[in-house]
Amino acid sequence: MSALSDSGFEEDLHTSPAAASSVRLTSDLQECDYEESCFIIQRHNELQFLAQNCLARQPQITAEARSKLVSWLIAVHKQLKLSFESCCLAVNIMDRFLITTSVAADCFQLLGVTSLLIATKQVEVYSPRITQLLSLCCNSFSREQLCNLECLILLRLNFRLAAPTLAFFLDYFTSRTTGYQTDGAMDKMVTTQDRNVWKEPEKKWKWLACKVCELSLADYTFNKYMPSVIVLYNNAGSSQSLESFCFQEYPTFEAQLLFQQCTEDLKLLVSLNQDAVQDFLSL
């Protein structure tokens, strides 16, 4: 069993089923700084936390219902001034729970806010109050229901909560491309009223990258892609170096086909939301 840790990065790699892979990973980590080490470990863990086809066994939950709930969670995380990491982790927790347990349609929103509460306990300094979260659901659920579901989620996920997320890889790749880490700055930038902020091309591009990540988070089409794949191609247009980096990290033919498919899906996603993008670019 993996050792417990606060950050989630100190997994006991030597007990992994892929022993040879763990040895190579340990060797790679010895040559990296902290930021690169975190990236390598999270890349190594991605498949373990991928909630692919999470609605396959859900008779009452549709892709449209999931999209609406995730879009609502994105709005809630901004209203509560939570980090994008909390939002991404909440969606991952929710999706992985959907793989294990059938959920009734009238309890789906409760699953969303409970997942958000668990995520904030992992990420934020202070979590939202339960009463605050329940009020956002028009008090349709009780405190006891939320707490019982929280316990059930933790048990079904075996307390494995430190999932690699879109937010993590977005921070990594933007810092790699520009030397600038978001650290929650995206959420602050989105709400600012200072139009001069958006005149800086670098910051405008970062906001667009974050916006596309939000859109992909709510779109069930991207449920099958690893977060690093989505973020890498989301950022690829900003730097040719990321293209070469892609081939280093994902050298197989199958991986390249996956990237090509992800790229086409991202282009379609942006085109379907072109009005929102154009409104922003006109600032």
Side-chain angles (χ1 to χ4, degrees):
M1 180 177 294
S2 297
L4 296 178
S5 67
D6 290 333
S7 67
F9 293 132
E10 298 84 354
E11 294 287 340
D12 184 0
L13 300 174
H14 298 290
T15 60
S16 170
S21 176
S22 296
V23 170
R24 289 194 299 271
L25 177 62
T26 303
S27 176
D28 291 340
L29 293 177
Q30 293 175 350
E31 302 175 0
C32 300
D33 58 24
Y34 178 76
E35 183 180 347
E36 286 188 82
S37 297
C38 292
F39 168 75
I40 291 171
I41 293 174
Q42 293 296 67
R43 271 279 298 112
H44 180 80
N45 290 337
E46 273 189 292
L47 280 176
Q48 301 176 36
F49 291 92
L50 186 64
Q52 192 172 23
N53 298 322
C54 64
L55 301 182
R57 298 183 180 180
Q58 292 293 331
Q60 298 188 34
I61 307 300
T62 64
E64 182 181 2
R66 179 189 176 277
S67 178
K68 290 181 179 179
L69 180 60
V70 174
S71 296
W72 179 76
L73 287 174
I74 291 172
V76 166
H77 105 272
K78 292 179 180 178
Q79 179 181 338
L80 299 179
K81 294 181 171 56
L82 302 173
S83 65
F84 188 44
E85 172 71 18
S86 289
C87 183
C88 292
L89 183 57
V91 174
N92 178 270
I93 290 171
M94 179 185 75
D95 285 348
R96 287 194 291 135
F97 181 78
L98 289 172
I99 292 176
T100 70
T101 309
S102 180
V103 177
D106 58 359
C107 293
F108 195 33
Q109 188 180 32
L110 177 62
L111 174 60
V113 294
T114 306
S115 299
L116 184 61
L117 176 63
I118 294 173
T120 58
K121 289 181 178 180
Q122 285 286 111
V123 176
E124 308 291 339
V125 177
Y126 298 105
S127 298
R129 297 176 63 87
I130 292 179
T131 53
Q132 187 178 21
L133 293 175
L134 292 176
S135 68
L136 295 173
C137 303
C138 300
N139 292 310
S140 301
F141 311 102
S142 67
R143 182 188 185 92
E144 183 179 9
Q145 286 177 308
L146 188 148
C147 292
N148 287 340
L149 181 56
E150 180 182 13
C151 292
L152 181 60
I153 292 173
L154 293 173
L155 289 173
R156 291 294 167 85
L157 299 188
N158 197 26
F159 290 85
R160 292 181 58 81
L161 304 175
T165 65
L166 283 171
F168 171 83
F169 291 108
L170 180 63
D171 273 346
Y172 178 82
F173 285 125
T174 51
S175 66
R176 180 183 177 88
T177 305
T178 63
Y180 172 84
Q181 287 185 302
T182 61
D183 290 331
M186 292 297 177
D187 298 313
K188 297 176 182 177
M189 288 168 62
V190 168
T191 58
T192 184
Q193 299 299 314
D194 185 2
R195 296 170 64 90
N196 291 326
V197 170
W198 308 114
K199 293 181 180 179
E200 300 180 37
E202 182 179 293
K203 291 184 178 179
K204 181 175 287 192
W205 167 77
K206 292 186 187 74
W207 186 91
L208 284 173
C210 186
K211 187 63 178 178
V212 173
C213 283
E214 287 183 2
L215 293 171
S216 66
L217 194 65
D219 193 327
Y220 188 59
T221 300
F222 295 89
N223 175 259
K224 61 179 177 286
Y225 299 121
M226 292 184 294
S228 65
V229 174
I230 297 172
V231 175
L232 180 60
Y233 266 85
N234 187 9
N235 285 273
S238 65
S239 173
Q240 292 298 323
S241 63
L242 283 177
E243 290 289 351
S244 59
F245 177 79
C246 157
F247 286 95
Q248 294 173 11
E249 285 294 315
Y250 310 91
T252 66
F253 177 71
E254 292 79 6
Q256 296 306 316
L257 288 178
L258 182 68
F259 278 128
Q260 184 177 1
Q261 184 180 357
C262 183
T263 303
E264 294 303 317
D265 286 338
L266 282 171
K267 289 179 180 178
L268 178 60
L269 181 68
V270 172
S271 67
L272 291 174
N273 295 272
Q274 192 170 13
D275 289 344
V277 173
Q278 288 300 325
D279 287 345
F280 170 74
L281 291 176
S282 64
L283 288 175

